């Protein structure tokens, strides 16, 4: 069975995967594209969807929707209930769809006989892979993982990209638990192995680090060369104990011991690092435009690879000087003229372009979507074929406009059937394009480094001061999935996005949640819901604090009000009577029950009249009943929490029996989801936990940090003994001291209680006390014992200094800190 540029016949894939072909048996489709995420369709006729089953999701749920969109080829492990509904579909029935995907990718790998570099380790995998690509792509047609596609799913999707015209493959492999690497080795089948290093990632899933190293070493059992650093003693010891070097040659490097490449000296200056080493008894050197230790280590790994591949050090040193940073994340920022800017301007290849467009399409705040795209360099393909494929991709992904920059893409202008304009260079675009033409749209910057798209980014970004709140969208998704794993598959999830999503930003967070299929959103006030609707959010939205003036807006934008008293119910009825002429139109409501918190909500003696009034008004439909737990996080009050749950069950039953139809019930908050799993009912509400802050101490290690508030040092001064600092002479220097002024103050949300030595921030991994009274727009720090310079980064809170610790300093809660961050602080959203 042979492979060609066009891919495999569906019948061949069925045989390879040992599956049974069911349905349309006359299907002669040639499969080019494999799809595992129903939201990321790139083609219809030549696409094969694998219905993967995970702990949190089941791809079989999306078959009907994909069929409606035009997908006709599926790999499944469960037949649809009524297969007659899919008359034109072909199904390959297998026992395990993930295993089938991996078998297919492994088969493809076997059909292409080229060198394959396999990379694993705790850190640096993606950087080493991308730098090797930069160093080798001028000579060699290379295929590699897009971004960090290194998982049990990402690796087979990456290997599937291999084609006969490729001359080298570079694939990274990541694991998180035992017994995973064997599968990835079978798929990648590397001929050259690189073990970058070992760290603490995923330690919780292994007995000890030796077990984790042994698992990673399984990738290299059949390589022809293993490249590693002997300075990682555990790696060295495990390699020696395994006796794998009896059959496998190795290329080692070290900064401490004798090795094939012995590093002698690393000299750093303000712009570069010079690395000197002895190789084959000769003194050689390279310069790299980086000074951090991680980059130095990653560069030496690449150096070792190129020396093994017999590149002369003259060529290596020339290319090393040109290494550029790897953007590990896509950034979403506010732009000029109410635009949103997605910056992915450090790389340009068709695989990463597809990923970036998927992120672009997650953003629903603007209907118009523009891509500014440079020439794609070193693709190894004819320009005509390459840009025809890109044009097809943009059209299928509903991109509104293309701005092409570069000679190659400009020459292929006729391939693009959407709104388009072309420039031969970035400078020409900046000079000739009228930037007022950008309005109310999302703009994706996607360019090769040489085109310097950072110049475009600077023009497009909305101007703001240096203080920013970075929001990690990957962490939002991780935390969402953590709580999803705690509830039953059939239990719905309502995500709280009130108070500007706890200060993190409304529609950006809501877009992510909608993309990842939460069932409901909740806001505090109607105007928050309106903002989401205008940004393209279509999910049901509950408004928790409706008032008389907002009901007409609630009805206009299809929002769903919380009803917590007979007075509010009467207001709603009046608005319905006045504003809804169509008596068939239904208004969904959510009934709030007071089960002991004694805030808003109906009490037991209110229910009889409420039920009577609901039954008399056919335009009102009860979507849910719900209540708030007062102390779900505190086991001291578990008896009270259970009493609340019992009362909620009873009161909900009274309503359901009274109105004669079932409703959604929800009482669990973030803490309740973890601690009271027997009270999930039909839905649970996820609030602060979504944003990486645990309500229950033991779960904090399971959550990822979402928000990092950071700024820079504006100025550094030397203060003499007995001089005062700040308003009111709030701080007196008891000795000569060095201070830093940073552009964040109480108008940005920095609590004034943190002043005069009570609070602290992080500079270059050291804590600096906040001294003097905090001003409106800035504050001062004591950096006497810290090596710092102007423009250095300052962390107010984040991964290294938790917001919970900051809150404890002034005896408050993280909620208050987050929701106090002013909207003038620019939010920057990123996704890796």
């Amino acid at each position: 069975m042979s492979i060609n540029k066009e891919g495999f016949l569906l019948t061949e894939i069925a045989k390879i995967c040992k599956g049974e072909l069911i349905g349309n048996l006359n299907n002669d489709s040639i499969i080019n594209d494999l799809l595992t995420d129903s939201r990321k369709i790139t083609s219809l006729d030549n696409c094969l969807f694998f219905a993967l089953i995970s702990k949190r999701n089941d791809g079989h749920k999306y078959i009907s929707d994909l069929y409606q969109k035009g997908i006709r080829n599926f790999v499944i492990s469960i037949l649809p209930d009524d297969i007659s509904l899919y008359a034109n579909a072909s199904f390959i029935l297998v026992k395990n769809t993930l295993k089938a995907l991996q078998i297919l990718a492994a088969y493809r790998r076997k059909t292409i006989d080229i060198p394959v570099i396999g990379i694993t380790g705790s850190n640096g995998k993606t950087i080493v892979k991308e730098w090797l690509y930069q160093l080798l792509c001028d000579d060699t047609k290379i295929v590699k993982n897009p971004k960090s596609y290194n998982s049990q799913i990402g690796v087979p999707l990456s290997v599937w990209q291999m084609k006969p015209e490729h001359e080298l493959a570079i694939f990274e492999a990541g694991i998180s638990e035992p017994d995973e690497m064997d599968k990835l080795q079978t798929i990648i089948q590397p001929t050259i192995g690189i073990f970058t290093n070992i760290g603490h990632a995923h330690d919780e899933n292994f007995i000890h680090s030796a077990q984790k190293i042994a698992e990673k070493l399984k990738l290299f059992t059949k390589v022809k060369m293993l490249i590693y650093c002997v300075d990682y003693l555990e790696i060295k010891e495990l390699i020696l104990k395994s006796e794998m070097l009896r059959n496998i040659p190795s290329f080692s490097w070290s900064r401490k011991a004798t090795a094939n490449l012995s590093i002698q000296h690393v000299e750093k200056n303000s712009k570069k690092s010079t690395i000197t080493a002895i190789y084959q008894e000769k003194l050689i050197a390279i310069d790299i435009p980086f000074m951090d230790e991680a980059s130095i280590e990653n560069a030496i790994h690449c150096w070792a690879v190129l020396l093994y591949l017999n590149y002369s050090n003259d060529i290596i040193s020339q290319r090393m000087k040109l290494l550029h940073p790897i953007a590990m994340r896509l950034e979403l920022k506010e732009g000029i003229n109410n635009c949103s800017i997605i910056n992915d301007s450090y790389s340009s290849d068709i695989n990463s372009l597809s990923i970036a467009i998927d992120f672009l399409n997650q953003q629903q705040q603007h209907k118009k979507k523009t891509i500014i795209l440079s020439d794609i360099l070193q693709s190894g393909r004819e320009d005509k074929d390459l840009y025809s494929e890109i044009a097809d991709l943009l059209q299928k992904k509903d991109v509104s406009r293309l701005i092409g920059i570069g000679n190659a893409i400009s020459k292929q202008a006729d391939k693009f059937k959407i709104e388009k304009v072309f420039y031969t260079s970035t400078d020409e675009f900046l000079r000739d394009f009228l930037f007022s033409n950008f309005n109310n749209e999302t703009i994706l910057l996607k360019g090769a480094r040489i085109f310097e798209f950072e110049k475009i980014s600077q023009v497009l970004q909305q101007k703001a001061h240096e203080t920013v709140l970075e929001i990690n969208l990957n962490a939002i998704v991780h935390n969402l999935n953590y709580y999803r794993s705690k509830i039953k598959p059939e239990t719905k999830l309502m995500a709280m996005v009130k108070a500007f999503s706890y200060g993190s930003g409304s529609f950006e967070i809501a877009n992510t949640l909608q993309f990842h299929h939460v069932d409901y959103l909740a806001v505090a006030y109607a105007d928050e819901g309106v903002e989401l609707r205008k940004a393209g959010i279509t999910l049901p939205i509950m408004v928790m604090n409706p008032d008389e003036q907002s009901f007409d807006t609630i009805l206009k934008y299809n929002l769903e009000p919380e009803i917590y008293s007979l007075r509010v119910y009467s207001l709603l009825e009046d608005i319905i009577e006045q504003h809804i002429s169509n008596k068939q139109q239904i208004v969904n409501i959510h009934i709030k029950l007071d089960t002991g918190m004694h805030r808003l909500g109906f009490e037991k003696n209110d229910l009889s009249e409420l039920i009577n009034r609901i039954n008399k008004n056919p335009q009102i439909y009860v979507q849910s009943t719900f209540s708030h737990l007062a102390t779900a996080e505190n086991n001291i009050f578990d008896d009270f929490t259970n009493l609340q749950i019992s009362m909620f069950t009873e009161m909900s039953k009274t309503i359901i029996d009274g109105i004669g139809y079932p409703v959604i019930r929800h009482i669990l908050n973030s803490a309740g989801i973890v601690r009271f799993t027997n009270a999930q009912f039909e839905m649970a509400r996820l609030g602060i936990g979504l944003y990486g802050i645990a309500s229950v101490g033991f779960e904090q290690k399971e959550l990822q940090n979402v928000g990092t508030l950071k700024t820079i040092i504006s100025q550094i001064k030397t203060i003499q003994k007995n001089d005062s600092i700040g308003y009111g002479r709030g701080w007196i220097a008891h000795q000569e001291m060095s201070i830093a002024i940073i552009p964040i103050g109480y108008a940005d949300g920095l609590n004034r209680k943190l002043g005069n030595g009570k609070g602290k921030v992080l500079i270059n991994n050291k804590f600096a006390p906040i001294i003097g009274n905090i001003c409106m727009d800035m504050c001062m720090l004591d950096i006497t014992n810290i090596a710092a310079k102007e423009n250095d980064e300052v962390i107010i809170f984040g991964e290294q200094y938790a917001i919970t610790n900051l809150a404890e300093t002034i005896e408050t809660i993280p909620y208050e800190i987050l929701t106090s961050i002013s909207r003038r602080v620019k939010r920057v959203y990123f996704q890796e």
Side-chain angles (χ1 to χ4, degrees):
M1 196 178 297
S2 64
I3 181 173
N4 56 39
K5 190 177 289 187
E6 285 73 32
F8 287 128
L9 290 169
L10 192 68
T11 51
E12 293 177 323
I13 291 176
K15 292 178 183 177
I16 293 168
C17 299
K18 296 181 173 57
E20 178 185 359
L21 192 58
I22 298 171
N24 180 9
L25 303 181
N26 297 317
N27 189 335
D28 58 356
S29 296
I30 295 175
I31 301 301
N32 292 324
D33 299 312
L34 305 184
L35 179 66
T36 60
D37 189 328
S38 63
R39 301 159 298 189
K40 299 181 179 179
I41 299 172
T42 55
S43 67
L44 296 175
D45 297 335
N46 305 110
C47 182
L48 178 61
F49 176 70
F50 282 76
L52 303 181
I53 299 175
S54 67
K55 295 177 182 178
R56 304 184 181 101
N57 213 343
D58 184 348
H60 295 82
K61 296 190 300 185
Y62 308 107
I63 289 175
S64 176
D65 180 54
L66 286 169
Y67 186 77
Q68 294 299 319
K69 291 178 179 177
I71 299 293
R72 293 294 179 263
N73 307 306
F74 303 89
V75 177
I76 59 173
S77 57
I78 305 168
L79 280 171
D81 292 335
D82 188 355
I83 200 168
S84 65
L85 297 175
Y86 308 93
N88 297 315
S90 299
F91 296 96
I92 298 176
L93 182 64
V94 298
K95 291 182 180 179
N96 184 305
T97 51
L98 176 58
K99 188 175 181 180
L101 173 66
Q102 294 172 339
I103 289 171
L104 178 61
Y107 186 91
R108 184 157 201 149
R109 165 67 183 94
K110 287 179 181 177
T111 62
I112 299 179
D113 185 18
I114 60 174
V116 175
I117 299 175
I119 308 169
T120 195
S122 294
N123 301 294
K125 298 184 292 293
T126 302
I127 300 296
V128 170
K129 177 197 69 186
E130 295 294 337
W131 279 358
L132 284 174
Y133 179 83
Q134 290 179 28
L135 293 164
L136 297 170
C137 65
D138 286 343
D139 314 310
T140 311
K141 294 178 181 178
I142 300 173
V143 60
K144 60 184 176 68
N145 314 68
K147 298 289 185 179
S148 53
Y149 273 37
N150 59 26
S151 67
Q152 297 291 307
I153 299 171
V155 166
L157 292 177
S158 300
V159 170
W160 175 258
Q161 299 173 101
M162 295 180 74
K163 294 178 181 178
E165 62 262 32
H166 289 126
E167 298 168 328
L168 174 68
I170 310 174
F171 297 125
E172 58 176 292
I175 57 167
S176 58
E177 57 188 47
D179 302 321
E180 288 187 331
M181 192 59 89
D182 281 331
K183 300 167 188 173
L184 299 186
Q185 190 282 330
T186 302
I187 300 166
I188 297 173
Q189 300 169 48
T191 57
I192 301 170
I194 305 173
F195 200 143
T196 59
N197 52 44
I198 196 68
H200 295 292
H202 308 298
D203 274 357
E204 67 277 8
N205 296 327
F206 294 89
I207 299 171
H208 41 59
S209 59
Q211 183 193 21
K212 184 165 64 173
I213 294 169
E215 180 67 23
K216 290 179 181 291
L217 282 172
K218 292 178 182 178
L219 180 63
F220 309 126
T221 53
K222 297 180 181 179
V223 297
K224 297 177 181 177
M225 173 59 65
L226 174 60
I227 296 169
Y228 70 103
C229 175
V230 297
D231 297 342
Y232 289 96
L233 296 180
E234 281 191 291
I235 295 176
K236 177 184 176 182
E237 290 173 7
L238 261 292
I239 288 174
L240 294 175
K241 286 181 181 178
S242 71
E243 298 187 345
M244 63 191 305
L245 297 185
R246 286 189 175 187
N247 303 310
I248 297 172
S250 68
F251 187 115
S252 62
W253 68 268
S254 174
R255 298 175 72 168
K256 303 174 181 177
T258 302
N260 297 94
L261 180 65
S262 296
I263 308 302
Q264 301 298 298
H265 184 62
V266 177
E267 182 180 348
K268 303 177 184 180
N269 63 31
S270 59
K271 294 183 179 180
K272 67 177 183 178
S273 297
T274 300
I275 309 170
T276 307
I278 293 175
Y279 176 65
Q280 294 182 344
E281 300 182 352
K282 293 181 180 179
L283 192 66
I284 58 176
I286 57 171
D287 292 335
I288 61 170
F290 304 94
M291 292 173 292
D292 61 288
E293 286 299 316
S295 294
I296 291 168
E297 179 177 298
N298 293 333
I300 296 172
H301 280 301
C302 295
W303 194 9
V305 173
L306 268 67
L307 289 170
Y308 166 69
L309 294 175
N310 293 319
Y311 278 79
S312 73
N313 200 66
D314 288 342
I315 292 176
I316 296 172
S317 61
Q318 290 172 17
R319 296 183 181 182
M320 284 285 185
K321 294 175 183 177
L322 303 177
L323 287 177
H324 56 73
I326 304 301
M328 299 296 287
R329 64 195 201 183
L330 293 161
E331 289 188 342
L332 175 65
K333 301 179 180 180
E334 293 182 20
I336 60 173
N337 305 331
N338 196 37
C339 292
S340 299
I341 312 302
I342 299 172
N343 191 354
D344 191 22
S345 59
Y346 287 93
S347 64
S348 181
D349 61 81
I350 194 164
N351 294 315
S352 64
L353 173 62
S354 181
I355 294 169
I357 294 175
D358 285 333
F359 185 64
L360 170 68
N361 283 332
Q362 287 183 40
Q363 315 310 317
Q364 299 296 317
Q365 57 267 40
H366 306 296
K367 289 184 178 180
K368 187 171 185 179
K369 296 177 173 65
T370 293
I371 291 183
I372 304 177
L373 178 66
S374 78
D375 287 349
I376 291 183
L377 307 177
Q378 294 103 20
S379 70
R381 299 174 58 182
E382 294 292 333
D383 283 350
K384 179 181 177 182
D385 294 337
L386 174 65
Y387 291 105
S388 293
E389 183 177 345
I390 291 171
D392 189 46
L393 178 66
L394 299 190
Q395 195 159 3
K396 287 176 178 176
K397 294 286 190 178
D398 295 322
V399 173
S400 312
R401 172 170 60 169
L402 167 68
I403 298 173
I405 297 179
N407 288 315
I409 194 171
S410 298
K411 290 176 182 177
Q412 304 298 324
D414 62 305
K415 305 292 187 298
F416 298 92
K417 307 305 179 186
I418 60 176
E419 181 185 344
K420 60 196 175 185
V421 63
F422 296 90
Y423 299 89
T424 57
S425 69
T426 300
D427 288 339
E428 182 186 347
F429 167 71
L430 291 169
R431 184 186 70 236
D432 296 345
F433 187 82
L434 190 62
F435 278 76
S436 60
N437 286 336
F438 287 125
N439 273 290
N440 296 299
E441 57 193 289
T442 305
I443 304 167
L444 168 63
L445 299 179
K446 186 68 178 166
R449 179 75 174 181
I450 193 172
F451 285 89
E452 299 180 304
F453 270 21
E454 59 269 22
K455 295 179 181 178
I456 302 175
S457 178
Q458 289 171 3
V459 175
L460 288 176
Q461 282 183 45
Q462 187 180 73
K463 300 300 181 287
H465 66 69
E466 296 92 340
T467 300
V468 299
L469 179 62
E470 288 190 346
I471 307 298
N472 184 341
L473 297 178
N474 295 91
I476 288 278
V477 175
H478 170 87
N479 299 337
L480 171 67
N481 287 333
Y482 167 73
Y483 285 101
R484 269 185 169 154
S485 71
K486 299 296 180 182
I487 60 177
K488 300 171 185 175
E490 63 271 19
T491 302
K492 297 179 186 295
L493 198 61
M494 174 183 281
M496 312 302 289
V497 292
K498 62 181 182 175
F500 199 48
S501 289
Y502 293 70
S504 299
S506 296
F507 63 76
E508 295 89 353
I509 300 297
N511 268 326
T512 299
L513 297 172
Q514 179 167 273
F515 187 76
H516 288 278
H517 301 299
V518 300
D519 300 284
Y520 253 93
L521 299 176
V523 297
Y525 295 100
D527 56 352
E528 296 175 318
V530 171
E531 184 179 352
L532 296 182
R533 285 284 183 254
K534 288 181 177 179
I537 300 301
T538 58
L539 285 173
I541 300 174
M542 180 175 76
V543 179
M544 304 186 73
N545 296 295
D547 55 42
E548 183 174 2
Q549 289 73 34
S550 67
F551 271 119
D552 57 341
T553 301
I554 286 172
L555 298 182
K556 179 181 178 181
Y557 287 93
N558 193 28
L559 307 175
E560 301 178 6
E562 167 189 319
I563 303 299
Y564 54 83
S565 71
L566 292 170
R567 179 188 66 84
V568 174
Y569 185 87
S570 297
L571 291 173
L572 175 62
E573 284 194 313
D574 291 343
I575 294 295
I576 291 173
E577 183 68 27
Q578 296 168 19
H579 292 273
I580 300 182
S581 56
N582 179 6
K583 300 304 178 184
Q584 303 302 312
Q585 184 175 337
I586 302 298
V587 176
N588 291 332
I589 66 170
H590 300 262
I591 295 176
K592 175 68 177 297
L593 302 175
D594 184 358
T595 57
M597 188 159 173
H598 297 319
R599 203 167 56 177
L600 298 176
F602 288 95
E603 297 182 346
K604 281 185 180 181
N605 55 10
D606 299 320
L607 297 185
S608 178
E609 183 176 352
L610 173 64
I611 291 167
N612 287 335
R613 295 182 64 173
I614 291 171
N615 287 334
K616 289 177 182 179
N617 194 329
Q619 289 186 265
I620 292 178
Y621 182 86
V622 180
Q623 190 72 10
S624 82
T625 60
F626 72 104
S627 188
H628 274 84
L629 295 177
T631 59
E633 71 282 357
N634 195 333
N635 59 9
I636 296 174
F637 299 111
D638 280 359
D639 288 344
F640 181 77
T641 300
N642 285 315
L643 182 64
Q644 278 194 276
I645 294 169
S646 177
M647 186 180 296
F648 174 69
T649 304
E650 179 187 343
M651 293 175 73
S652 294
K653 184 177 186 304
T654 299
I655 292 173
I656 292 168
D657 290 345
I659 63 178
Y661 55 84
V663 303
I664 298 170
R665 298 168 293 170
H666 48 108
I667 192 172
L668 296 185
N669 53 14
S670 298
I673 290 172
V674 176
R675 299 197 62 243
F676 295 90
T677 56
N678 61 329
Q680 292 178 15
F681 296 102
E682 289 77 33
M683 186 156 70
R685 296 190 306 275
L686 180 55
I688 195 68
L690 181 64
Y691 304 95
I693 299 169
S695 300
V696 182
F698 66 82
E699 65 173 339
Q700 189 63 59
K701 67 180 185 300
E702 305 291 344
L703 302 180
Q704 291 184 2
N705 179 71
V706 170
T708 299
L709 182 60
K710 59 172 61 174
T711 187
I712 64 166
I713 296 176
S714 299
Q715 189 177 17
I716 292 176
K717 292 184 174 184
T718 299
I719 302 299
Q720 301 303 317
K721 183 178 180 180
N722 297 323
D723 278 1
S724 62
I725 298 168
Y727 283 120
R729 305 196 74 197
W731 186 272
I732 303 296
H734 298 296
Q735 59 184 10
E736 182 179 287
M737 62 190 301
S738 181
I739 70 167
I741 297 89
I742 60 175
I744 182 172
Y746 59 78
D748 302 296
L750 190 66
N751 197 301
R752 291 189 79 243
K753 293 179 181 177
L754 291 165
N756 291 311
K758 190 164 189 179
K760 59 186 178 182
V761 299
L762 204 59
I763 301 175
N764 298 329
N765 295 315
K766 292 187 177 181
F767 284 111
I770 301 173
I771 55 176
N773 290 312
I774 291 174
C775 310
M776 179 181 287
D777 307 306
M778 62 192 76
C779 64
M780 288 69 73
L781 313 174
D782 178 2
I783 60 167
T784 304
N785 298 312
I786 299 175
K789 60 185 182 299
E790 292 177 2
N791 212 45
D792 275 0
E793 185 177 79
V794 181
I795 303 296
I796 311 301
F797 63 75
E799 184 75 35
Q800 299 162 289
Y801 181 41
I803 190 173
T804 50
N805 296 333
L806 181 66
E808 287 171 2
T809 301
I810 52 174
E811 299 178 337
T812 187
I813 55 177
Y815 296 75
E816 182 179 350
I817 301 290
L818 275 177
T819 56
S820 296
I821 300 171
S822 167
R823 287 208 180 193
R824 79 174 189 176
V825 173
K826 182 168 66 174
R827 271 70 173 174
V828 176
Y829 304 86
F830 67 89
Q831 178 174 303
E832 295 180 353

